[in-house]
Every structure is written in C-alpha cells, then in structure tokens.
Amino acid sequence: MNTKRKLLVLARRDHAEAMRVAAGLTIFGHQVRLVFMDRLVAETEENAAMAELLALSDIAPETTVAEQTDLAYLDAAALGAAIAEADGVLSL
Amino acid sequence: MSIDILFHVSHRGAGRYLFPLIAAARRRGASVACFFTYDGVLVAADPRLKEVLGDARAVVCEESWHRFRPGEPCPVEAGSQTVNSALMAEATRVVSL
C-alpha cells in the first residue's frame, strides 16, 4: 500500500524540528499542514532556513498563537477541525 | 509491505509508552514500525527496543542521531525524513509519541 495522507504537524517543543519534519513529509506527496503552537516563532537563522524549506514544500504554516499576526490563526475550534480532518497527527 | 501502526517517536521520554504499546500490538497480530526523530532517537538507544520489536522495522533520523548521540554508532537502521514520508504512506495508523 502506498497512500497519500493528510498529515497535521503540531509544532510545540521545537519549531525548527517541526518545520524540518513537515517539509520532509511532503516528499511522498502527502498533504501536510503545520501549526505553530505555544509561543511566537523565534527569529533565528535556523528557523529562517527551515521556513525557506517550508516554502519550497508548499506548506503555508498556521498558528494558534494570536500574537503571531503574520500567519493564519487557528482558534480551538479550527484546530479541532484540523485534527479531525487529518489522517495522522504528529506532535513535535 | 503494509504497516498497521507506525509509531512516530519524537520525545526522549516516550519509551515508557512505546515499549508496552509495541508489545500489545504484536500480541494482537498487528504489524508495526517505528520512526525516531529529534530527541526521540534516544529511545532507539534503549536495549529493550530490540527485544520488543522482533522483526519489525525501526528507523532513526540520521540527522537527529548525530545531533543527540554524536560519534556513536546507530543501533538500528539510519535514514532520513524521506523514509519517514515513505513510512507514512505505508501505515494504516500513525501514533505520535
């Protein structure tokens, strides 16, 4: 079996690692959503590099952090819907 | 080969859940595989893993292994996030630990 999945990556502990994993998951054609949680994404070189990787992977990250105004915001209901729609949820 | 359950391990403390879950799945005849990334790779270094895995596949993200266990030999198959993506395609269910 070789199936393209709808995957949701929750970026909690390490945003850069979550971005790396999310981008990698697209390699086999999976549809990947990435949601930053817990805090603002830090402006670091590592995060900037991984953000470029996301762009190359056609992933538009979202956030549950209201202060992160440059990204689409998911409230609790929207996050719940995203989880319900996903074939797999990865928490990093 | 299809995989009934893929365990995606990204936390160093996940072993306490992973090992009994693998054992339970195998008792029920379910096929399992594991992918370790971030500091979850430290779980792959636990000698109990091979005992519970049997012939199931376990892959460690090579980049994470080098980050958290620099200079040490990897005890299971070393791979990349490409392998992770491939495993997702083969798995019926994914459990994130």
PDB file of all heavy atoms in Angstrom, chain A residues 73-88:
ATOM      1  N   TYR A  73      -4.458  32.296  11.673  1.00  0.00           N
ATOM      2  CA  TYR A  73      -4.706  31.931  13.075  1.00  0.00           C
ATOM      3  C   TYR A  73      -5.779  30.842  13.166  1.00  0.00           C
ATOM      4  O   TYR A  73      -6.816  30.918  12.525  1.00  0.00           O
ATOM      5  CB  TYR A  73      -5.155  33.172  13.847  1.00  0.00           C
ATOM      6  CG  TYR A  73      -5.625  32.893  15.251  1.00  0.00           C
ATOM      7  CD1 TYR A  73      -4.721  32.491  16.236  1.00  0.00           C
ATOM      8  CD2 TYR A  73      -6.968  33.016  15.593  1.00  0.00           C
ATOM      9  CE1 TYR A  73      -5.158  32.223  17.523  1.00  0.00           C
ATOM     10  CE2 TYR A  73      -7.408  32.754  16.884  1.00  0.00           C
ATOM     11  CZ  TYR A  73      -6.497  32.355  17.843  1.00  0.00           C
ATOM     12  OH  TYR A  73      -6.918  32.082  19.116  1.00  0.00           O
ATOM     13  N   LEU A  74      -5.510  29.842  13.995  1.00  0.00           N
ATOM     14  CA  LEU A  74      -6.482  28.795  14.275  1.00  0.00           C
ATOM     15  C   LEU A  74      -6.921  28.916  15.726  1.00  0.00           C
ATOM     16  O   LEU A  74      -6.087  28.835  16.630  1.00  0.00           O
ATOM     17  CB  LEU A  74      -5.870  27.403  14.071  1.00  0.00           C
ATOM     18  CG  LEU A  74      -5.367  27.006  12.676  1.00  0.00           C
ATOM     19  CD1 LEU A  74      -4.871  25.555  12.711  1.00  0.00           C
ATOM     20  CD2 LEU A  74      -6.463  27.148  11.638  1.00  0.00           C
ATOM     21  N   ASP A  75      -8.214  29.107  15.945  1.00  0.00           N
ATOM     22  CA  ASP A  75      -8.698  29.055  17.324  1.00  0.00           C
ATOM     23  C   ASP A  75      -8.927  27.585  17.698  1.00  0.00           C
ATOM     24  O   ASP A  75      -8.643  26.674  16.900  1.00  0.00           O
ATOM     25  CB  ASP A  75      -9.959  29.909  17.498  1.00  0.00           C
ATOM     26  CG  ASP A  75     -11.120  29.430  16.642  1.00  0.00           C
ATOM     27  OD1 ASP A  75     -11.055  28.302  16.104  1.00  0.00           O
ATOM     28  OD2 ASP A  75     -12.092  30.186  16.487  1.00  0.00           O
ATOM     29  N   ALA A  76      -9.424  27.348  18.895  1.00  0.00           N
ATOM     30  CA  ALA A  76      -9.544  25.971  19.371  1.00  0.00           C
ATOM     31  C   ALA A  76     -10.446  25.136  18.467  1.00  0.00           C
ATOM     32  O   ALA A  76     -10.150  23.965  18.184  1.00  0.00           O
ATOM     33  CB  ALA A  76     -10.079  25.973  20.803  1.00  0.00           C
ATOM     34  N   ALA A  77     -11.526  25.738  17.999  1.00  0.00           N
ATOM     35  CA  ALA A  77     -12.445  25.004  17.135  1.00  0.00           C
ATOM     36  C   ALA A  77     -11.791  24.652  15.799  1.00  0.00           C
ATOM     37  O   ALA A  77     -11.949  23.538  15.282  1.00  0.00           O
ATOM     38  CB  ALA A  77     -13.712  25.828  16.908  1.00  0.00           C
ATOM     39  N   ALA A  78     -11.054  25.608  15.252  1.00  0.00           N
ATOM     40  CA  ALA A  78     -10.392  25.369  13.969  1.00  0.00           C
ATOM     41  C   ALA A  78      -9.284  24.323  14.109  1.00  0.00           C
ATOM     42  O   ALA A  78      -9.083  23.491  13.218  1.00  0.00           O
ATOM     43  CB  ALA A  78      -9.820  26.677  13.428  1.00  0.00           C
ATOM     44  N   LEU A  79      -8.585  24.374  15.233  1.00  0.00           N
ATOM     45  CA  LEU A  79      -7.552  23.362  15.468  1.00  0.00           C
ATOM     46  C   LEU A  79      -8.203  21.978  15.605  1.00  0.00           C
ATOM     47  O   LEU A  79      -7.701  20.985  15.058  1.00  0.00           O
ATOM     48  CB  LEU A  79      -6.751  23.694  16.729  1.00  0.00           C
ATOM     49  CG  LEU A  79      -5.677  22.679  17.096  1.00  0.00           C
ATOM     50  CD1 LEU A  79      -4.599  22.600  16.019  1.00  0.00           C
ATOM     51  CD2 LEU A  79      -5.035  23.028  18.446  1.00  0.00           C
ATOM     52  N   GLY A  80      -9.310  21.931  16.318  1.00  0.00           N
ATOM     53  CA  GLY A  80     -10.023  20.670  16.460  1.00  0.00           C
ATOM     54  C   GLY A  80     -10.468  20.120  15.112  1.00  0.00           C
ATOM     55  O   GLY A  80     -10.348  18.915  14.849  1.00  0.00           O
ATOM     56  N   ALA A  81     -10.940  21.011  14.259  1.00  0.00           N
ATOM     57  CA  ALA A  81     -11.363  20.580  12.919  1.00  0.00           C
ATOM     58  C   ALA A  81     -10.177  20.065  12.120  1.00  0.00           C
ATOM     59  O   ALA A  81     -10.283  19.057  11.402  1.00  0.00           O
ATOM     60  CB  ALA A  81     -12.029  21.749  12.197  1.00  0.00           C
ATOM     61  N   ALA A  82      -9.036  20.734  12.247  1.00  0.00           N
ATOM     62  CA  ALA A  82      -7.839  20.303  11.527  1.00  0.00           C
ATOM     63  C   ALA A  82      -7.405  18.912  11.987  1.00  0.00           C
ATOM     64  O   ALA A  82      -7.008  18.068  11.171  1.00  0.00           O
ATOM     65  CB  ALA A  82      -6.705  21.309  11.746  1.00  0.00           C
ATOM     66  N   ILE A  83      -7.506  18.683  13.280  1.00  0.00           N
ATOM     67  CA  ILE A  83      -7.143  17.362  13.815  1.00  0.00           C
ATOM     68  C   ILE A  83      -8.116  16.306  13.302  1.00  0.00           C
ATOM     69  O   ILE A  83      -7.713  15.205  12.905  1.00  0.00           O
ATOM     70  CB  ILE A  83      -7.122  17.412  15.361  1.00  0.00           C
ATOM     71  CG1 ILE A  83      -5.951  18.275  15.838  1.00  0.00           C
ATOM     72  CG2 ILE A  83      -7.023  16.002  15.951  1.00  0.00           C
ATOM     73  CD1 ILE A  83      -5.977  18.590  17.332  1.00  0.00           C
ATOM     74  N   ALA A  84      -9.389  16.648  13.292  1.00  0.00           N
ATOM     75  CA  ALA A  84     -10.407  15.686  12.855  1.00  0.00           C
ATOM     76  C   ALA A  84     -10.260  15.342  11.375  1.00  0.00           C
ATOM     77  O   ALA A  84     -10.529  14.211  10.961  1.00  0.00           O
ATOM     78  CB  ALA A  84     -11.794  16.262  13.126  1.00  0.00           C
ATOM     79  N   GLU A  85      -9.817  16.305  10.581  1.00  0.00           N
ATOM     80  CA  GLU A  85      -9.686  16.080   9.135  1.00  0.00           C
ATOM     81  C   GLU A  85      -8.429  15.303   8.774  1.00  0.00           C
ATOM     82  O   GLU A  85      -8.337  14.748   7.675  1.00  0.00           O
ATOM     83  CB  GLU A  85      -9.644  17.433   8.407  1.00  0.00           C
ATOM     84  CG  GLU A  85     -10.961  18.181   8.407  1.00  0.00           C
ATOM     85  CD  GLU A  85     -10.801  19.628   7.962  1.00  0.00           C
ATOM     86  OE1 GLU A  85      -9.691  20.004   7.520  1.00  0.00           O
ATOM     87  OE2 GLU A  85     -11.778  20.384   8.082  1.00  0.00           O
ATOM     88  N   ALA A  86      -7.468  15.261   9.691  1.00  0.00           N
ATOM     89  CA  ALA A  86      -6.173  14.659   9.361  1.00  0.00           C
ATOM     90  C   ALA A  86      -6.219  13.128   9.455  1.00  0.00           C
ATOM     91  O   ALA A  86      -6.921  12.555  10.282  1.00  0.00           O
ATOM     92  CB  ALA A  86      -5.103  15.194  10.307  1.00  0.00           C
ATOM     93  N   ASP A  87      -5.441  12.491   8.575  1.00  0.00           N
ATOM     94  CA  ASP A  87      -5.263  11.034   8.672  1.00  0.00           C
ATOM     95  C   ASP A  87      -4.253  10.686   9.760  1.00  0.00           C
ATOM     96  O   ASP A  87      -4.258   9.570  10.278  1.00  0.00           O
ATOM     97  CB  ASP A  87      -4.757  10.481   7.334  1.00  0.00           C
ATOM     98  CG  ASP A  87      -5.746  10.716   6.210  1.00  0.00           C
ATOM     99  OD1 ASP A  87      -6.949  10.511   6.437  1.00  0.00           O
ATOM    100  OD2 ASP A  87      -5.314  11.115   5.118  1.00  0.00           O
ATOM    101  N   GLY A  88      -3.369  11.622  10.046  1.00  0.00           N
ATOM    102  CA  GLY A  88      -2.362  11.399  11.075  1.00  0.00           C
ATOM    103  C   GLY A  88      -1.945  12.721  11.675  1.00  0.00           C
ATOM    104  O   GLY A  88      -1.854  13.733  10.963  1.00  0.00           O
TER     105      GLY A  88
END
